[in-house]
Amino acid sequence: MNMDGKRKEGILRLLRPRSVAVVGASDDLAKTSGRPVPYLQKHGFGGDIYPVNPKAETITGLPCYRDIVSLPQAPDVGIVLLGAERSQ
């Protein structure tokens, strides 16, 4: 595959991901970090969703991973959610 093909594939993975990791995911819908996983499920995302949180075993019925290294595959897209106290 030439460089243009690789670029196109990378852009397509970003725009139409087959998998999404949600780092910092929460089961608490009152928190911003609790919204992406159920949103993806509710709106029909057909790919794999990988919640990542070392303090949870499941999030919205999905297995939760302790860290990004524990994922079964590298995700196409990652959403990183940090509380205000951790963003500085």
PDB file of all heavy atoms in Angstrom, residues 40-63:
ATOM      1  N   LEU A  40     -22.871   5.671  22.648  1.00  0.00           N
ATOM      2  CA  LEU A  40     -22.462   4.817  21.530  1.00  0.00           C
ATOM      3  C   LEU A  40     -23.421   3.636  21.380  1.00  0.00           C
ATOM      4  O   LEU A  40     -23.813   3.277  20.264  1.00  0.00           O
ATOM      5  CB  LEU A  40     -21.031   4.316  21.734  1.00  0.00           C
ATOM      6  CG  LEU A  40     -19.931   5.367  21.585  1.00  0.00           C
ATOM      7  CD1 LEU A  40     -18.607   4.843  22.157  1.00  0.00           C
ATOM      8  CD2 LEU A  40     -19.762   5.756  20.130  1.00  0.00           C
ATOM      9  N   GLN A  41     -23.810   3.031  22.502  1.00  0.00           N
ATOM     10  CA  GLN A  41     -24.737   1.893  22.463  1.00  0.00           C
ATOM     11  C   GLN A  41     -26.122   2.322  21.964  1.00  0.00           C
ATOM     12  O   GLN A  41     -26.703   1.676  21.090  1.00  0.00           O
ATOM     13  CB  GLN A  41     -24.868   1.272  23.856  1.00  0.00           C
ATOM     14  CG  GLN A  41     -23.602   0.587  24.321  1.00  0.00           C
ATOM     15  CD  GLN A  41     -23.670   0.164  25.778  1.00  0.00           C
ATOM     16  OE1 GLN A  41     -24.141   0.909  26.636  1.00  0.00           O
ATOM     17  NE2 GLN A  41     -23.195  -1.048  26.056  1.00  0.00           N
ATOM     18  N   LYS A  42     -26.624   3.412  22.496  1.00  0.00           N
ATOM     19  CA  LYS A  42     -27.968   3.883  22.160  1.00  0.00           C
ATOM     20  C   LYS A  42     -28.094   4.262  20.688  1.00  0.00           C
ATOM     21  O   LYS A  42     -29.122   4.028  20.063  1.00  0.00           O
ATOM     22  CB  LYS A  42     -28.311   5.102  23.035  1.00  0.00           C
ATOM     23  CG  LYS A  42     -29.651   5.734  22.732  1.00  0.00           C
ATOM     24  CD  LYS A  42     -29.899   6.940  23.610  1.00  0.00           C
ATOM     25  CE  LYS A  42     -31.182   7.643  23.234  1.00  0.00           C
ATOM     26  NZ  LYS A  42     -31.396   8.843  24.037  1.00  0.00           N
ATOM     27  N   HIS A  43     -27.045   4.828  20.140  1.00  0.00           N
ATOM     28  CA  HIS A  43     -27.114   5.332  18.776  1.00  0.00           C
ATOM     29  C   HIS A  43     -26.545   4.363  17.744  1.00  0.00           C
ATOM     30  O   HIS A  43     -26.245   4.749  16.618  1.00  0.00           O
ATOM     31  CB  HIS A  43     -26.451   6.704  18.694  1.00  0.00           C
ATOM     32  CG  HIS A  43     -27.215   7.732  19.481  1.00  0.00           C
ATOM     33  ND1 HIS A  43     -28.405   8.274  19.034  1.00  0.00           N
ATOM     34  CD2 HIS A  43     -27.001   8.267  20.695  1.00  0.00           C
ATOM     35  CE1 HIS A  43     -28.871   9.115  19.932  1.00  0.00           C
ATOM     36  NE2 HIS A  43     -28.037   9.133  20.964  1.00  0.00           N
ATOM     37  N   GLY A  44     -26.417   3.091  18.126  1.00  0.00           N
ATOM     38  CA  GLY A  44     -26.136   2.040  17.167  1.00  0.00           C
ATOM     39  C   GLY A  44     -24.712   1.897  16.668  1.00  0.00           C
ATOM     40  O   GLY A  44     -24.505   1.380  15.566  1.00  0.00           O
ATOM     41  N   PHE A  45     -23.737   2.327  17.446  1.00  0.00           N
ATOM     42  CA  PHE A  45     -22.362   2.092  17.022  1.00  0.00           C
ATOM     43  C   PHE A  45     -22.159   0.589  16.901  1.00  0.00           C
ATOM     44  O   PHE A  45     -22.385  -0.161  17.852  1.00  0.00           O
ATOM     45  CB  PHE A  45     -21.361   2.700  18.013  1.00  0.00           C
ATOM     46  CG  PHE A  45     -19.934   2.424  17.648  1.00  0.00           C
ATOM     47  CD1 PHE A  45     -19.362   3.039  16.546  1.00  0.00           C
ATOM     48  CD2 PHE A  45     -19.162   1.540  18.389  1.00  0.00           C
ATOM     49  CE1 PHE A  45     -18.050   2.774  16.188  1.00  0.00           C
ATOM     50  CE2 PHE A  45     -17.849   1.275  18.046  1.00  0.00           C
ATOM     51  CZ  PHE A  45     -17.292   1.892  16.941  1.00  0.00           C
ATOM     52  N   GLY A  46     -21.751   0.127  15.749  1.00  0.00           N
ATOM     53  CA  GLY A  46     -21.659  -1.302  15.483  1.00  0.00           C
ATOM     54  C   GLY A  46     -20.326  -1.938  15.799  1.00  0.00           C
ATOM     55  O   GLY A  46     -20.177  -3.150  15.703  1.00  0.00           O
ATOM     56  N   GLY A  47     -19.356  -1.126  16.196  1.00  0.00           N
ATOM     57  CA  GLY A  47     -18.027  -1.666  16.487  1.00  0.00           C
ATOM     58  C   GLY A  47     -17.863  -2.058  17.935  1.00  0.00           C
ATOM     59  O   GLY A  47     -18.813  -2.056  18.722  1.00  0.00           O
ATOM     60  N   ASP A  48     -16.640  -2.397  18.274  1.00  0.00           N
ATOM     61  CA  ASP A  48     -16.314  -2.767  19.657  1.00  0.00           C
ATOM     62  C   ASP A  48     -16.135  -1.518  20.507  1.00  0.00           C
ATOM     63  O   ASP A  48     -15.505  -0.554  20.074  1.00  0.00           O
ATOM     64  CB  ASP A  48     -15.029  -3.589  19.695  1.00  0.00           C
ATOM     65  CG  ASP A  48     -15.179  -4.928  18.987  1.00  0.00           C
ATOM     66  OD1 ASP A  48     -16.197  -5.597  19.215  1.00  0.00           O
ATOM     67  OD2 ASP A  48     -14.283  -5.287  18.211  1.00  0.00           O
ATOM     68  N   ILE A  49     -16.684  -1.557  21.712  1.00  0.00           N
ATOM     69  CA  ILE A  49     -16.546  -0.461  22.672  1.00  0.00           C
ATOM     70  C   ILE A  49     -15.774  -1.020  23.863  1.00  0.00           C
ATOM     71  O   ILE A  49     -16.163  -2.026  24.444  1.00  0.00           O
ATOM     72  CB  ILE A  49     -17.915   0.063  23.144  1.00  0.00           C
ATOM     73  CG1 ILE A  49     -18.753   0.521  21.944  1.00  0.00           C
ATOM     74  CG2 ILE A  49     -17.733   1.197  24.159  1.00  0.00           C
ATOM     75  CD1 ILE A  49     -20.209   0.806  22.283  1.00  0.00           C
ATOM     76  N   TYR A  50     -14.676  -0.355  24.202  1.00  0.00           N
ATOM     77  CA  TYR A  50     -13.817  -0.802  25.289  1.00  0.00           C
ATOM     78  C   TYR A  50     -13.770   0.249  26.400  1.00  0.00           C
ATOM     79  O   TYR A  50     -12.987   1.194  26.332  1.00  0.00           O
ATOM     80  CB  TYR A  50     -12.395  -1.060  24.799  1.00  0.00           C
ATOM     81  CG  TYR A  50     -12.293  -2.077  23.704  1.00  0.00           C
ATOM     82  CD1 TYR A  50     -11.714  -1.744  22.482  1.00  0.00           C
ATOM     83  CD2 TYR A  50     -12.741  -3.376  23.875  1.00  0.00           C
ATOM     84  CE1 TYR A  50     -11.592  -2.674  21.471  1.00  0.00           C
ATOM     85  CE2 TYR A  50     -12.624  -4.316  22.871  1.00  0.00           C
ATOM     86  CZ  TYR A  50     -12.049  -3.959  21.667  1.00  0.00           C
ATOM     87  OH  TYR A  50     -11.936  -4.888  20.675  1.00  0.00           O
ATOM     88  N   PRO A  51     -14.609   0.138  27.435  1.00  0.00           N
ATOM     89  CA  PRO A  51     -14.481   1.042  28.574  1.00  0.00           C
ATOM     90  C   PRO A  51     -13.181   0.721  29.324  1.00  0.00           C
ATOM     91  O   PRO A  51     -12.827  -0.451  29.497  1.00  0.00           O
ATOM     92  CB  PRO A  51     -15.690   0.712  29.448  1.00  0.00           C
ATOM     93  CG  PRO A  51     -16.561  -0.190  28.652  1.00  0.00           C
ATOM     94  CD  PRO A  51     -15.718  -0.788  27.592  1.00  0.00           C
ATOM     95  N   VAL A  52     -12.481   1.758  29.736  1.00  0.00           N
ATOM     96  CA  VAL A  52     -11.223   1.584  30.473  1.00  0.00           C
ATOM     97  C   VAL A  52     -11.331   2.347  31.782  1.00  0.00           C
ATOM     98  O   VAL A  52     -11.513   3.569  31.793  1.00  0.00           O
ATOM     99  CB  VAL A  52     -10.010   2.102  29.653  1.00  0.00           C
ATOM    100  CG1 VAL A  52      -8.733   1.952  30.445  1.00  0.00           C
ATOM    101  CG2 VAL A  52      -9.913   1.383  28.309  1.00  0.00           C
ATOM    102  N   ASN A  53     -11.255   1.590  32.891  1.00  0.00           N
ATOM    103  CA  ASN A  53     -11.297   2.180  34.226  1.00  0.00           C
ATOM    104  C   ASN A  53     -10.809   1.109  35.202  1.00  0.00           C
ATOM    105  O   ASN A  53     -11.433   0.059  35.316  1.00  0.00           O
ATOM    106  CB  ASN A  53     -12.722   2.617  34.583  1.00  0.00           C
ATOM    107  CG  ASN A  53     -12.810   3.306  35.915  1.00  0.00           C
ATOM    108  OD1 ASN A  53     -12.073   2.993  36.844  1.00  0.00           O
ATOM    109  ND2 ASN A  53     -13.721   4.256  36.022  1.00  0.00           N
ATOM    110  N   PRO A  54      -9.713   1.371  35.910  1.00  0.00           N
ATOM    111  CA  PRO A  54      -9.161   0.346  36.805  1.00  0.00           C
ATOM    112  C   PRO A  54     -10.044   0.022  38.006  1.00  0.00           C
ATOM    113  O   PRO A  54      -9.837  -0.987  38.669  1.00  0.00           O
ATOM    114  CB  PRO A  54      -7.832   0.948  37.255  1.00  0.00           C
ATOM    115  CG  PRO A  54      -8.003   2.415  37.101  1.00  0.00           C
ATOM    116  CD  PRO A  54      -8.932   2.595  35.929  1.00  0.00           C
ATOM    117  N   LYS A  55     -11.071   0.837  38.254  1.00  0.00           N
ATOM    118  CA  LYS A  55     -11.916   0.632  39.431  1.00  0.00           C
ATOM    119  C   LYS A  55     -13.227  -0.094  39.127  1.00  0.00           C
ATOM    120  O   LYS A  55     -14.008  -0.339  40.027  1.00  0.00           O
ATOM    121  CB  LYS A  55     -12.231   1.984  40.074  1.00  0.00           C
ATOM    122  CG  LYS A  55     -10.995   2.699  40.575  1.00  0.00           C
ATOM    123  CD  LYS A  55     -11.353   4.052  41.129  1.00  0.00           C
ATOM    124  CE  LYS A  55     -10.088   4.797  41.544  1.00  0.00           C
ATOM    125  NZ  LYS A  55     -10.404   6.151  41.977  1.00  0.00           N
ATOM    126  N   ALA A  56     -13.479  -0.438  37.858  1.00  0.00           N
ATOM    127  CA  ALA A  56     -14.756  -1.061  37.494  1.00  0.00           C
ATOM    128  C   ALA A  56     -14.523  -2.386  36.775  1.00  0.00           C
ATOM    129  O   ALA A  56     -13.538  -2.542  36.061  1.00  0.00           O
ATOM    130  CB  ALA A  56     -15.550  -0.115  36.597  1.00  0.00           C
ATOM    131  N   GLU A  57     -15.454  -3.314  36.987  1.00  0.00           N
ATOM    132  CA  GLU A  57     -15.392  -4.598  36.273  1.00  0.00           C
ATOM    133  C   GLU A  57     -16.246  -4.562  35.012  1.00  0.00           C
ATOM    134  O   GLU A  57     -15.895  -5.172  34.008  1.00  0.00           O
ATOM    135  CB  GLU A  57     -15.836  -5.734  37.195  1.00  0.00           C
ATOM    136  CG  GLU A  57     -14.807  -6.027  38.271  1.00  0.00           C
ATOM    137  CD  GLU A  57     -15.085  -7.329  38.984  1.00  0.00           C
ATOM    138  OE1 GLU A  57     -15.684  -8.242  38.382  1.00  0.00           O
ATOM    139  OE2 GLU A  57     -14.700  -7.416  40.157  1.00  0.00           O
ATOM    140  N   THR A  58     -17.381  -3.860  35.077  1.00  0.00           N
ATOM    141  CA  THR A  58     -18.237  -3.669  33.906  1.00  0.00           C
ATOM    142  C   THR A  58     -18.754  -2.240  33.897  1.00  0.00           C
ATOM    143  O   THR A  58     -18.864  -1.597  34.941  1.00  0.00           O
ATOM    144  CB  THR A  58     -19.452  -4.634  33.904  1.00  0.00           C
ATOM    145  OG1 THR A  58     -20.264  -4.360  35.034  1.00  0.00           O
ATOM    146  CG2 THR A  58     -19.021  -6.092  33.892  1.00  0.00           C
ATOM    147  N   ILE A  59     -19.079  -1.776  32.716  1.00  0.00           N
ATOM    148  CA  ILE A  59     -19.724  -0.473  32.550  1.00  0.00           C
ATOM    149  C   ILE A  59     -20.802  -0.657  31.496  1.00  0.00           C
ATOM    150  O   ILE A  59     -20.518  -1.105  30.386  1.00  0.00           O
ATOM    151  CB  ILE A  59     -18.716   0.629  32.167  1.00  0.00           C
ATOM    152  CG1 ILE A  59     -17.810   0.910  33.370  1.00  0.00           C
ATOM    153  CG2 ILE A  59     -19.430   1.892  31.686  1.00  0.00           C
ATOM    154  CD1 ILE A  59     -16.833   2.034  33.211  1.00  0.00           C
ATOM    155  N   THR A  60     -22.026  -0.348  31.857  1.00  0.00           N
ATOM    156  CA  THR A  60     -23.222  -0.539  31.025  1.00  0.00           C
ATOM    157  C   THR A  60     -23.254  -1.930  30.383  1.00  0.00           C
ATOM    158  O   THR A  60     -23.605  -2.084  29.223  1.00  0.00           O
ATOM    159  CB  THR A  60     -23.383   0.559  29.946  1.00  0.00           C
ATOM    160  OG1 THR A  60     -22.321   0.474  29.013  1.00  0.00           O
ATOM    161  CG2 THR A  60     -23.452   1.931  30.561  1.00  0.00           C
ATOM    162  N   GLY A  61     -22.878  -2.923  31.166  1.00  0.00           N
ATOM    163  CA  GLY A  61     -22.931  -4.299  30.702  1.00  0.00           C
ATOM    164  C   GLY A  61     -21.730  -4.774  29.900  1.00  0.00           C
ATOM    165  O   GLY A  61     -21.648  -5.941  29.528  1.00  0.00           O
ATOM    166  N   LEU A  62     -20.794  -3.888  29.629  1.00  0.00           N
ATOM    167  CA  LEU A  62     -19.594  -4.268  28.880  1.00  0.00           C
ATOM    168  C   LEU A  62     -18.442  -4.539  29.842  1.00  0.00           C
ATOM    169  O   LEU A  62     -18.328  -3.872  30.873  1.00  0.00           O
ATOM    170  CB  LEU A  62     -19.170  -3.138  27.930  1.00  0.00           C
ATOM    171  CG  LEU A  62     -20.155  -2.764  26.832  1.00  0.00           C
ATOM    172  CD1 LEU A  62     -19.670  -1.518  26.099  1.00  0.00           C
ATOM    173  CD2 LEU A  62     -20.326  -3.918  25.862  1.00  0.00           C
ATOM    174  N   PRO A  63     -17.569  -5.482  29.497  1.00  0.00           N
ATOM    175  CA  PRO A  63     -16.399  -5.683  30.354  1.00  0.00           C
ATOM    176  C   PRO A  63     -15.541  -4.427  30.357  1.00  0.00           C
ATOM    177  O   PRO A  63     -15.375  -3.775  29.332  1.00  0.00           O
ATOM    178  CB  PRO A  63     -15.662  -6.855  29.707  1.00  0.00           C
ATOM    179  CG  PRO A  63     -16.233  -7.013  28.349  1.00  0.00           C
ATOM    180  CD  PRO A  63     -17.581  -6.352  28.345  1.00  0.00           C
TER     181      PRO A  63
END
